[in-house]
Each structure stands twice: as structure tokens, then as C-alpha cells.
Amino acid sequence: MINNELSKHAVLSQWIKENIENNTFKIGEKIPSENELASRFMFSRQTVRQAIGTLVAEGILVREHGRGTYVSLPGKKASAEKAMRIGVITTYLDDYVFPSIIHGIEEILTDNGYTLSLGITHNRPSDEENCLIQIMQSGVDGLIVEGTKSALPNPNGRLYEQIKEKHLPIVFINGYYRGYNDSYIILDDVKAGEMLTDILIDNGHSLIGGIFKSDDLQGIGRYEGLLKSIKKNNLTVNDSSIIWYTTEDFSYFFEGRMDKIILDRLNGVTGVVCYNDLVAAALVRLLKRNGKSVPEDLSIVSVDNSFLAKHMVCNLTSIVYPGKKIGKKAAQLLLQHINHSQKPEHVILEPYVKIRDSVKKLP
Amino acid sequence: MINNELSKHAVLSQWIKENIENNTFKIGEKIPSENELASRFMFSRQTVRQAIGTLVAEGILVREHGRGTYVSLPGKKASAEKAMRIGVITTYLDDYVFPSIIHGIEEILTDNGYTLSLGITHNRPSDEENCLIQIMQSGVDGLIVEGTKSALPNPNGRLYEQIKEKHLPIVFINGYYRGYNDSYIILDDVKAGEMLTDILIDNGHSLIGGIFKSDDLQGIGRYEGLLKSIKKNNLTVNDSSIIWYTTEDFSYFFEGRMDKIILDRLNGVTGVVCYNDLVAAALVRLLKRNGKSVPEDLSIVSVDNSFLAKHMVCNLTSIVYPGKKIGKKAAQLLLQHINHSQKPEHVILEPYVKIRDSVKKLP
DNA sequence: ACAAAAAAGATGTACGTACAAGTTGATATA
DNA sequence: TATATCAACTTGTACGTACATCTTTTTTGT
């Protein structure tokens, strides 16, 4: 080569690439034959073969003896190669419910020869962005995602659209972004909130408070359930008895400095619906610090039925959070999407409650 | 081709492959030049180029213009390509300590642009085998492994040797297989057992029992520490007061059917060193079922300082298990191995104990 | 109308030539 | 001695030819 320009085969392979991206050569369809390209570009057939050869090596084209050269399907290459992998992105891991979800996912995946890549977002959209980019770059066949801050508008919308463009199957758990018609698996949080509130009311409570997380759909849903139950039973709710917190201020809220404010806001209330066992445990400790006990001074109900619910000073009445079931279901659904690419499916699991002794029966 | 034999270029590329596997062509070194191979095999240079070309596409060889063709280094290809990944294999996940380990690992890895592939063995060697095969096939740059049944001879030794042959860095956590000089990070379990026993003895206890897991090194180590403390304080231990269990029979042991036997074996004992908080919690429930309480009737010390230790009916005195620290350290060590391939390092973390109120002071 | 055979057209293998371009070490020169 | 040059060897590009092999379409024979 006398000049600094690209070699002929490089020019040709780039030209083919561009035509694929322009959708001139559509995926799965045949590109012009070697001889035609040779005569069209006035290159020798060997040079054309070299150009096509590099694209075949990259997995962009597929040669079929006697038939022609075709634009390869995006998923085809990975599945034809070796071990398949799917990405799992959760908000936390060292909280109590997540391991069971991952465990459920892992069980299904290994049974089907898949490996699991894990990312943790700490419920921060910026971390979610990093996780998505990293995991996608490393090449996965599908994603199971617990979205960050699912109650707020999706901050990584652009990324999720890119995923869709790549035809990468995705299943959301514990929440979903409104407006995207993706598969998701959630617990019926409204029902859960309603069931818990019903229990308090059935035990004679009429002034009911709540502590909820405001930045994910689960918190909103459980609060909605509380309202539903209150309305159904012709009671009213005092807005100041509903305490909202976000991911960022949880530890700040319950570490002692806010004790007075919280107790004041729950003043008069006899039963509290807690977002989850972690909140319930924090509330129990808060009450203990201030000389009060559960259920004598305050009844508490909660969601998750975790370690905490079983082993705390006062055993919590708690909605069973079927983490493993959700994980398994999510993995099964994703594998269906990968293998048969069917319509999005929305699974809403019915909650059921484990009654313990954190609710006092009022006369 | 008139016959059913392999094509010439296929013969040649296979021949080169075999020579690499035979170590005739050593990694990083030059293979014979195209012209030499052509004349040696009586093939044309184009045919030789085709043979080499396929191996280059597979990442086995690297061509360098003007210099020659070299056998590529195994790690080179992956790192030159795209996202890097390391495999993490743990025994469990839905137990309480593992999420913190994973969390620590994940933190370091994402900071360095790595992704994490997860496998769970349930402490079963057969599952470990599957995990290792799957994760290795999917291509990782290194492994962090919590070996199954580390107290027993390594059942997947052949696999671990294969890993070594591939020069794949590996770091063990919570245990290691004797005889393999690999990097590992463990808590000083002997010291942990000794410290716990010391606490009981310092509080006036002289008849001390223990419940330990027999199939991993941690159990053995903690028992060894107990013996050390007993000996140091000129006491003796009654062998029947030391209860051993294995992974498989944990639930069977503590579900109720064995209550009498266990209580009988702990008869006379005033303090018990438990393998971990899970065992301690099970023991507390067992005692409660049988009308006894902690620490009034029996003092208990344990390892992990988990959720359970903090929230149980009786707050446990427990050795702090620094899961996140172990995870972070393991990831850092592995990255060092990947980038600078240095000697194996053995990190033994000093335990420290969180005193709570599960030990009664005897006169 | 159907089936077998032939033709046409695609990729696969294999050899050949020629020259370009990068790398290395030996040689000649200052 | 240091430096520049050159020769030898390496891989890279490009064209050419010939035939094999597989697939699809067309033709032909019944």
C-alpha cells in the first residue's frame, strides 16, 4: 500500500458493516455473493473473501456453503459459542431478603446451564448505570433487574431503551418502571398493606399509623393498601401518623436523634404498619430505648417474615415475602423469553401472612 | 476434496494446536514462519496462512507484522477484549454472613471495572464441580472460592489442578485445602475459639461444652481454640459435651427430635461455645422449648455477630465475623494476582469479640 | 404431472505470483 | 564508538487460476 488509506478488504468490510447498520442488509438476510461484490468493487474474489472473513470471525456474518453469506442474528453467536450467562442487578445484597431471591435465580439458572453475573446498585441510579454498562459490555443473554427508585421516573431510561434495541430480554422484580411494557414479578403490595391493616383493625385498633419507604413502588403500594383497609372499615387516617423515609435517610431516622419526633407523630396510635421487618426492628429498638414495649404499648405488623421477625424480642406478625419463589419465577420467565421470545408477562404474587405475637387484642 | 479426510489447512492448524498443548510451541514464543511451514508440509503459503488465520481468530495465536507468529498468552486475549470478570463460588448465600462477603468483593471489583459471576455449592462437592466447570467455561480472569468441606480431602482436586495449569489466579476464603499452596483469607478460628472459651472461664465457668461443625476447617479450628483455652486454664473437657454436626444433619439435629439427647450431653455444663450464631439461635430455641433460658440456665457464646446475635431474645456475646473485610481483601488480593502475578499470600485476620449478655457470671 | 438429471450459482479449498511493509541484526561509514 | 544503511526475513495485501462441494433452480424424460 502506497498511501495511508485503508486496505481494500478493510474498505469492503467497513462498507458491509455500514450497510448492516443502515438496515440495507437486514439481519438474517443474504448479502451479495462474493463474485458480485468482486465485480462491483473491481476487487478479486480473494480480497472479497478476506473482507467477509473478518466479519465472519467477528460474528457479524455467517457463511453457508452453497447458499450464500448471511447477516447473523445477534443472539445466535453467543448461544452458539459457549457458556451462557445472565445478568442480575439488585439494589442491595446484605439486607435479608435479597439472598433468597438470588438463591432462587441461581437454582434455575444452573439447572439450565447458565451462569449468573451480579451487580449491586445500593438503590442509587448512578450505580445502576455503571452496573448496566459493565454487565452488558461483558455480554449477557438476558437481565433480571430490581430497578432503583422504582416509584420515581426512570433515570436510566436511555440505557433500558438500548437494551430493548439489542433485543435483550429483561425481567423486573419487586417493581417496574411505568410506561415500559416489560415483564415483571412483584408481590401484591397493595394487598399486603391491606391485609396487615385488616389484622390491626380486626384486633380492635382504630388509630393506625405507618412507616413507609417513599422511593420505591413497594412502599407506595403498601401505603395504598393501608388506605384501602381504613376506608373499607370506615375509619380515618391521621396524615401525621404516616411516616415516610427514603433509602438515604433510614439510618439517620432511626438512630436516636429523631426518637422524639417519631414518638410524637405516632402519639395516640395503637397499631403501626411497617414497610418491612428492618423498619419494625428499628421501631422496636426505638420504643425499648424510650421505655415502651411491643405489643403492650404499641402493636406492630410488617412485611418480609425474615430472620428478624422470627428471632426478635417480640416475634413479629409479618407478611411472608417469597424471595426464593420470586427469584425462581423471574429466572424461568427470563429463560422463556430467551428461548421462545414471547410477550411480556406480569406476575403478581398473592401475599399471605404469618401471625405471631406483635399485635395486642384491644377490647 | 476427493476423500473424507480433513482439509490441508485443518490438518495444519490441528498440528499447531497439538504442538502448543505438547508445549513444543511454548506460550509467548514464536512458531515457525509461514514459509518454513509451507516448505515443511509442501503446502502453499496461502494454505498455511489460512491455517494460522483460524487459530488467530480463536485467539490461540497472535500475528505480529514483520516479526512472526506467536503463541498468545491465555490472559491476554480476554483482557484485550472487553469487560473482565471474576468468578465467586460460595457454599451458601441465604445464610447471614455470605451477603457481606459478596458485598465486599463486589465493591472492589466494580471499582476496578470487573464483573462478578456467582456460583453456589450448598457445601456439596458435586455442586462445586458443576459451578467450577460452568464458571470456567464462561471465561473468567480469576476465582474467589469458599471450598466445600474444607476439613476433608479435596474432592475436586483434579479441577483445581486444571485451574492452576491455566494460570488462573485463585483466592480461597474461610478455608483452604491442605497441600495446595494457594492464597487464602481466613479468620483466626483457633484464636476465636480460644477467646470465647476464655470469656466463659473468666466468668467462672469450668464445665464447658461445645457444638461444632465437623466438615469445614472453621469448625475444627474453633474447637482447637476451645481445647487450647481449657488446657491453658488447667481445666478438662468432657468429650461427650462436645457435639459435632455436619452440613447435612443441621436441621435434623435441632428440630426437636434430638432435644433430649442434646440436653443430656450438655448435662452439667454451664457454658457452651457454639460454632456460629445459627447454632446458638437453634440452641436457644431448644432450651426455650424445654423450659430453660439463657443465660440463667446456660451461658452461650458464638461466632458471627450477625442479625441474630443482635436481635435474639437473649443478645449473644459473639465474635465479630468481618465478612465485608474478608470479601474486600480477597478481591484486592485476586486483582493483585491478576495484574502482577505474585506469590501466594496467607491472610489470617485477628478476631475480636462483641460482649453482650448471654454469659452469666458465676461466683 | 412428477421425478430424475442437469445446469447454474453460491461458497470452500488450494495453488501460484508479485510486491508492500515492518523487524532485526549485520555491515559499512563517520 | 556511535550511527546510518542495507540485506534478510517476517507478515500483509492483492490479484490470478482451477477445481470441489453444496444448494437451488431449471430442464428434461417418462
CSV table of all heavy atoms in Angstrom, one decimal, chain B residues 201-243:
chain,number,residue,atom,x,y,z
B,201,ILE,N,-14.6,-18.9,80.9
B,201,ILE,CA,-13.8,-19.3,82.1
B,201,ILE,C,-13.6,-18.1,83.0
B,201,ILE,O,-13.7,-18.2,84.2
B,201,ILE,CB,-12.4,-19.9,81.6
B,201,ILE,CG1,-12.7,-21.2,80.9
B,201,ILE,CG2,-11.5,-20.1,82.8
B,201,ILE,CD1,-11.4,-21.8,80.3
B,202,ASP,N,-13.4,-16.9,82.4
B,202,ASP,CA,-13.2,-15.7,83.1
B,202,ASP,C,-14.4,-15.4,84.0
B,202,ASP,O,-14.4,-14.7,85.0
B,202,ASP,CB,-12.9,-14.5,82.2
B,202,ASP,CG,-11.5,-14.6,81.6
B,202,ASP,OD1,-10.7,-15.5,82.1
B,202,ASP,OD2,-11.2,-13.9,80.7
B,203,ASN,N,-15.6,-15.8,83.5
B,203,ASN,CA,-16.8,-15.6,84.2
B,203,ASN,C,-17.2,-16.7,85.2
B,203,ASN,O,-18.3,-16.8,85.7
B,203,ASN,CB,-18.0,-15.4,83.2
B,203,ASN,CG,-18.0,-14.0,82.7
B,203,ASN,OD1,-18.5,-13.1,83.4
B,203,ASN,ND2,-17.4,-13.8,81.5
B,204,GLY,N,-16.2,-17.6,85.4
B,204,GLY,CA,-16.3,-18.6,86.5
B,204,GLY,C,-16.8,-19.9,86.0
B,204,GLY,O,-17.1,-20.8,86.8
B,205,HIS,N,-17.0,-20.1,84.7
B,205,HIS,CA,-17.4,-21.4,84.2
B,205,HIS,C,-16.2,-22.4,84.2
B,205,HIS,O,-15.1,-22.0,83.8
B,205,HIS,CB,-18.0,-21.2,82.8
B,205,HIS,CG,-19.3,-20.4,82.8
B,205,HIS,ND1,-20.5,-20.9,82.8
B,205,HIS,CD2,-19.4,-19.0,82.8
B,205,HIS,CE1,-21.4,-19.9,82.8
B,205,HIS,NE2,-20.8,-18.8,82.8
B,206,SER,N,-16.5,-23.6,84.5
B,206,SER,CA,-15.4,-24.6,84.5
B,206,SER,C,-15.9,-25.9,83.7
B,206,SER,O,-15.0,-26.6,83.2
B,206,SER,CB,-15.0,-25.0,85.9
B,206,SER,OG,-16.1,-25.4,86.6
B,207,LEU,N,-17.2,-26.1,83.6
B,207,LEU,CA,-17.6,-27.2,82.8
B,207,LEU,C,-18.2,-26.6,81.5
B,207,LEU,O,-19.3,-26.1,81.5
B,207,LEU,CB,-18.7,-28.0,83.6
B,207,LEU,CG,-18.1,-28.9,84.6
B,207,LEU,CD1,-19.2,-29.4,85.6
B,207,LEU,CD2,-17.4,-30.1,84.0
B,208,ILE,N,-17.4,-26.8,80.5
B,208,ILE,CA,-17.7,-26.1,79.2
B,208,ILE,C,-18.0,-27.1,78.1
B,208,ILE,O,-17.2,-28.1,77.9
B,208,ILE,CB,-16.5,-25.2,78.8
B,208,ILE,CG1,-16.5,-24.0,79.9
B,208,ILE,CG2,-16.7,-24.6,77.4
B,208,ILE,CD1,-15.3,-23.2,79.8
B,209,GLY,N,-19.0,-26.9,77.4
B,209,GLY,CA,-19.4,-27.7,76.2
B,209,GLY,C,-19.2,-27.0,74.9
B,209,GLY,O,-18.8,-25.8,74.9
B,210,GLY,N,-19.5,-27.7,73.8
B,210,GLY,CA,-19.3,-27.0,72.5
B,210,GLY,C,-20.2,-27.7,71.5
B,210,GLY,O,-20.4,-28.9,71.6
B,211,ILE,N,-20.6,-26.9,70.5
B,211,ILE,CA,-21.3,-27.5,69.3
B,211,ILE,C,-20.5,-27.0,68.1
B,211,ILE,O,-20.5,-25.8,67.9
B,211,ILE,CB,-22.7,-27.1,69.3
B,211,ILE,CG1,-23.5,-27.4,70.6
B,211,ILE,CG2,-23.4,-27.7,68.1
B,211,ILE,CD1,-24.9,-27.0,70.6
B,212,PHE,N,-20.0,-27.9,67.3
B,212,PHE,CA,-19.1,-27.6,66.2
B,212,PHE,C,-19.5,-28.3,64.9
B,212,PHE,O,-20.0,-29.4,65.0
B,212,PHE,CB,-17.7,-27.8,66.5
B,212,PHE,CG,-17.1,-27.0,67.7
B,212,PHE,CD1,-17.0,-27.6,68.9
B,212,PHE,CD2,-16.9,-25.7,67.5
B,212,PHE,CE1,-16.5,-26.9,70.0
B,212,PHE,CE2,-16.4,-24.9,68.6
B,212,PHE,CZ,-16.2,-25.5,69.8
B,213,LYS,N,-19.2,-27.7,63.8
B,213,LYS,CA,-19.4,-28.3,62.5
B,213,LYS,C,-18.1,-29.1,62.2
B,213,LYS,O,-17.0,-28.6,62.3
B,213,LYS,CB,-19.6,-27.2,61.5
B,213,LYS,CG,-20.2,-27.6,60.2
B,213,LYS,CD,-20.4,-26.4,59.3
B,213,LYS,CE,-21.3,-26.6,58.2
B,213,LYS,NZ,-21.5,-25.4,57.4
B,214,SER,N,-18.3,-30.3,61.8
B,214,SER,CA,-17.1,-31.1,61.6
B,214,SER,C,-16.5,-31.1,60.2
B,214,SER,O,-15.4,-31.6,60.0
B,214,SER,CB,-17.4,-32.6,62.0
B,214,SER,OG,-18.4,-33.1,61.1
B,215,ASP,N,-17.3,-30.6,59.2
B,215,ASP,CA,-16.8,-30.8,57.8
B,215,ASP,C,-16.1,-29.6,57.2
B,215,ASP,O,-15.8,-29.6,56.0
B,215,ASP,CB,-17.9,-31.4,56.9
B,215,ASP,CG,-19.1,-30.6,57.0
B,215,ASP,OD1,-19.2,-29.6,57.8
B,215,ASP,OD2,-20.1,-30.9,56.3
B,216,ASP,N,-15.9,-28.5,58.0
B,216,ASP,CA,-15.1,-27.5,57.4
B,216,ASP,C,-14.0,-27.0,58.4
B,216,ASP,O,-14.1,-27.3,59.6
B,216,ASP,CB,-15.9,-26.3,56.9
B,216,ASP,CG,-16.6,-25.5,57.9
B,216,ASP,OD1,-16.2,-25.5,59.1
B,216,ASP,OD2,-17.6,-24.8,57.6
B,217,LEU,N,-13.0,-26.4,57.9
B,217,LEU,CA,-11.8,-26.1,58.8
B,217,LEU,C,-12.2,-25.1,59.9
B,217,LEU,O,-11.6,-25.1,61.0
B,217,LEU,CB,-10.7,-25.4,57.9
B,217,LEU,CG,-9.8,-26.4,57.1
B,217,LEU,CD1,-8.8,-25.6,56.4
B,217,LEU,CD2,-9.2,-27.4,58.1
B,218,GLN,N,-13.2,-24.3,59.7
B,218,GLN,CA,-13.6,-23.3,60.7
B,218,GLN,C,-14.0,-24.0,62.0
B,218,GLN,O,-13.7,-23.6,63.1
B,218,GLN,CB,-14.7,-22.4,60.2
B,218,GLN,CG,-14.3,-21.6,58.9
B,218,GLN,CD,-15.4,-20.8,58.4
B,218,GLN,OE1,-15.7,-19.7,59.0
B,218,GLN,NE2,-16.0,-21.2,57.3
B,219,GLY,N,-14.8,-25.1,61.8
B,219,GLY,CA,-15.3,-25.8,62.9
B,219,GLY,C,-14.2,-26.5,63.7
B,219,GLY,O,-14.1,-26.4,64.9
B,220,ILE,N,-13.3,-27.1,63.0
B,220,ILE,CA,-12.1,-27.7,63.6
B,220,ILE,C,-11.3,-26.7,64.3
B,220,ILE,O,-10.8,-26.9,65.5
B,220,ILE,CB,-11.2,-28.4,62.5
B,220,ILE,CG1,-12.1,-29.3,61.5
B,220,ILE,CG2,-10.1,-29.2,63.1
B,220,ILE,CD1,-12.5,-30.6,62.1
B,221,GLY,N,-11.1,-25.6,63.7
B,221,GLY,CA,-10.2,-24.5,64.3
B,221,GLY,C,-10.8,-24.0,65.6
B,221,GLY,O,-10.1,-23.8,66.6
B,222,ARG,N,-12.1,-23.8,65.6
B,222,ARG,CA,-12.8,-23.2,66.8
B,222,ARG,C,-12.7,-24.2,67.9
B,222,ARG,O,-12.5,-23.8,69.1
B,222,ARG,CB,-14.2,-22.8,66.4
B,222,ARG,CG,-14.2,-21.5,65.5
B,222,ARG,CD,-15.5,-21.2,64.9
B,222,ARG,NE,-15.3,-20.3,63.7
B,222,ARG,CZ,-16.2,-19.9,62.9
B,222,ARG,NH1,-17.5,-20.2,63.1
B,222,ARG,NH2,-15.9,-19.1,61.9
B,223,TYR,N,-12.9,-25.5,67.6
B,223,TYR,CA,-12.8,-26.5,68.6
B,223,TYR,C,-11.3,-26.5,69.2
B,223,TYR,O,-11.1,-26.6,70.4
B,223,TYR,CB,-13.1,-27.8,68.0
B,223,TYR,CG,-12.8,-29.0,68.9
B,223,TYR,CD1,-13.5,-29.2,70.1
B,223,TYR,CD2,-11.9,-30.0,68.5
B,223,TYR,CE1,-13.2,-30.3,70.9
B,223,TYR,CE2,-11.6,-31.1,69.3
B,223,TYR,CZ,-12.3,-31.2,70.5
B,223,TYR,OH,-12.0,-32.3,71.3
B,224,GLU,N,-10.4,-26.4,68.3
B,224,GLU,CA,-9.0,-26.4,68.7
B,224,GLU,C,-8.7,-25.3,69.7
B,224,GLU,O,-8.0,-25.5,70.7
B,224,GLU,CB,-8.1,-26.3,67.5
B,224,GLU,CG,-6.6,-26.7,67.6
B,224,GLU,CD,-5.8,-26.5,66.3
B,224,GLU,OE1,-6.4,-26.8,65.3
B,224,GLU,OE2,-4.7,-26.0,66.4
B,225,GLY,N,-9.3,-24.1,69.4
B,225,GLY,CA,-9.2,-23.0,70.3
B,225,GLY,C,-9.8,-23.3,71.6
B,225,GLY,O,-9.2,-22.9,72.7
B,226,LEU,N,-10.9,-23.9,71.6
B,226,LEU,CA,-11.5,-24.3,72.9
B,226,LEU,C,-10.6,-25.2,73.7
B,226,LEU,O,-10.3,-24.9,74.9
B,226,LEU,CB,-12.8,-25.0,72.6
B,226,LEU,CG,-13.6,-25.6,73.9
B,226,LEU,CD1,-15.1,-25.4,73.6
B,226,LEU,CD2,-13.3,-27.0,74.2
B,227,LEU,N,-10.0,-26.2,73.1
B,227,LEU,CA,-9.1,-27.1,73.8
B,227,LEU,C,-7.9,-26.3,74.4
B,227,LEU,O,-7.5,-26.5,75.5
B,227,LEU,CB,-8.5,-28.1,72.8
B,227,LEU,CG,-9.5,-29.2,72.4
B,227,LEU,CD1,-8.8,-30.3,71.5
B,227,LEU,CD2,-10.2,-29.9,73.6
B,228,LYS,N,-7.4,-25.4,73.5
B,228,LYS,CA,-6.2,-24.6,73.9
B,228,LYS,C,-6.5,-23.8,75.2
B,228,LYS,O,-5.7,-23.7,76.1
B,228,LYS,CB,-5.9,-23.6,72.8
B,228,LYS,CG,-4.5,-23.2,72.7
B,228,LYS,CD,-4.2,-22.5,71.3
B,228,LYS,CE,-3.0,-21.7,71.3
B,228,LYS,NZ,-2.8,-21.0,70.1
B,229,SER,N,-7.7,-23.2,75.2
B,229,SER,CA,-8.1,-22.4,76.4
B,229,SER,C,-8.3,-23.2,77.6
B,229,SER,O,-7.8,-22.9,78.7
B,229,SER,CB,-9.4,-21.6,76.1
B,229,SER,OG,-9.9,-21.0,77.3
B,230,ILE,N,-8.9,-24.3,77.4
B,230,ILE,CA,-9.2,-25.3,78.5
B,230,ILE,C,-7.8,-25.7,79.2
B,230,ILE,O,-7.7,-25.7,80.4
B,230,ILE,CB,-9.9,-26.5,78.0
B,230,ILE,CG1,-11.3,-26.2,77.5
B,230,ILE,CG2,-10.0,-27.6,79.1
B,230,ILE,CD1,-12.4,-26.3,78.4
B,231,LYS,N,-6.9,-26.1,78.3
B,231,LYS,CA,-5.6,-26.6,78.7
B,231,LYS,C,-4.9,-25.5,79.5
B,231,LYS,O,-4.3,-25.7,80.6
B,231,LYS,CB,-4.8,-27.0,77.5
B,231,LYS,CG,-3.7,-28.0,77.8
B,231,LYS,CD,-3.1,-28.5,76.5
B,231,LYS,CE,-2.0,-29.5,76.8
B,231,LYS,NZ,-1.3,-29.9,75.6
B,232,LYS,N,-4.9,-24.3,78.9
B,232,LYS,CA,-4.2,-23.1,79.4
B,232,LYS,C,-4.7,-22.8,80.8
B,232,LYS,O,-3.9,-22.4,81.7
B,232,LYS,CB,-4.5,-21.9,78.5
B,232,LYS,CG,-3.8,-20.6,78.8
B,232,LYS,CD,-4.1,-19.6,77.7
B,232,LYS,CE,-5.5,-19.2,77.8
B,232,LYS,NZ,-5.9,-18.2,76.7
B,233,ASN,N,-6.0,-23.1,81.1
B,233,ASN,CA,-6.6,-22.8,82.4
B,233,ASN,C,-6.6,-24.0,83.3
B,233,ASN,O,-7.3,-24.0,84.3
B,233,ASN,CB,-8.0,-22.2,82.2
B,233,ASN,CG,-7.9,-20.8,81.6
B,233,ASN,OD1,-7.7,-19.8,82.3
B,233,ASN,ND2,-8.1,-20.7,80.3
B,234,ASN,N,-5.9,-25.0,82.9
B,234,ASN,CA,-5.8,-26.3,83.7
B,234,ASN,C,-7.2,-26.9,84.0
B,234,ASN,O,-7.5,-27.3,85.1
B,234,ASN,CB,-5.1,-26.0,85.0
B,234,ASN,CG,-3.6,-25.7,84.8
B,234,ASN,OD1,-3.0,-26.3,83.9
B,234,ASN,ND2,-3.1,-24.6,85.4
B,235,LEU,N,-8.0,-26.8,83.0
B,235,LEU,CA,-9.3,-27.5,83.2
B,235,LEU,C,-9.4,-28.7,82.3
B,235,LEU,O,-8.4,-29.0,81.5
B,235,LEU,CB,-10.5,-26.5,82.8
B,235,LEU,CG,-10.6,-25.3,83.7
B,235,LEU,CD1,-11.6,-24.3,83.1
B,235,LEU,CD2,-11.1,-25.7,85.1
B,236,THR,N,-10.4,-29.5,82.3
B,236,THR,CA,-10.6,-30.6,81.4
B,236,THR,C,-11.9,-30.5,80.7
B,236,THR,O,-12.8,-29.8,81.1
B,236,THR,CB,-10.5,-31.9,82.2
B,236,THR,OG1,-11.6,-31.9,83.2
B,236,THR,CG2,-9.2,-32.2,82.8
B,237,VAL,N,-12.0,-31.2,79.6
B,237,VAL,CA,-13.2,-31.1,78.8
B,237,VAL,C,-13.8,-32.5,78.7
B,237,VAL,O,-13.0,-33.5,78.6
B,237,VAL,CB,-12.9,-30.5,77.4
B,237,VAL,CG1,-12.0,-31.4,76.6
B,237,VAL,CG2,-14.2,-30.3,76.7
B,238,ASN,N,-15.1,-32.6,78.9
B,238,ASN,CA,-15.7,-33.9,78.8
B,238,ASN,C,-16.1,-34.1,77.3
B,238,ASN,O,-17.0,-33.4,76.8
B,238,ASN,CB,-17.0,-33.9,79.7
B,238,ASN,CG,-17.7,-35.2,79.7
B,238,ASN,OD1,-17.4,-36.1,78.9
B,238,ASN,ND2,-18.7,-35.3,80.5
B,239,ASP,N,-15.6,-35.1,76.7
B,239,ASP,CA,-15.8,-35.3,75.3
B,239,ASP,C,-17.3,-35.4,74.9
B,239,ASP,O,-17.7,-35.0,73.9
B,239,ASP,CB,-15.1,-36.6,74.9
B,239,ASP,CG,-13.6,-36.3,74.6
B,239,ASP,OD1,-13.2,-35.1,74.5
B,239,ASP,OD2,-12.8,-37.3,74.6
B,240,SER,N,-18.1,-36.0,75.8
B,240,SER,CA,-19.5,-36.1,75.4
B,240,SER,C,-20.2,-34.8,75.4
B,240,SER,O,-21.3,-34.7,75.0
B,240,SER,CB,-20.2,-37.1,76.4
B,240,SER,OG,-20.6,-36.4,77.6
B,241,SER,N,-19.6,-33.7,76.0
B,241,SER,CA,-20.2,-32.4,76.0
B,241,SER,C,-19.8,-31.6,74.7
B,241,SER,O,-20.2,-30.5,74.5
B,241,SER,CB,-19.7,-31.6,77.2
B,241,SER,OG,-20.1,-32.3,78.4
B,242,ILE,N,-19.0,-32.2,73.9
B,242,ILE,CA,-18.7,-31.6,72.6
B,242,ILE,C,-19.5,-32.3,71.5
B,242,ILE,O,-19.4,-33.5,71.2
B,242,ILE,CB,-17.2,-31.8,72.2
B,242,ILE,CG1,-16.3,-31.2,73.3
B,242,ILE,CG2,-16.9,-31.1,70.9
B,242,ILE,CD1,-16.4,-29.7,73.5
B,243,ILE,N,-20.4,-31.5,70.9
B,243,ILE,CA,-21.4,-32.1,69.9
B,243,ILE,C,-20.9,-31.7,68.5
B,243,ILE,O,-20.7,-30.5,68.3
B,243,ILE,CB,-22.8,-31.6,70.2
B,243,ILE,CG1,-23.3,-32.0,71.6
B,243,ILE,CG2,-23.8,-32.0,69.1
B,243,ILE,CD1,-24.5,-31.4,72.1
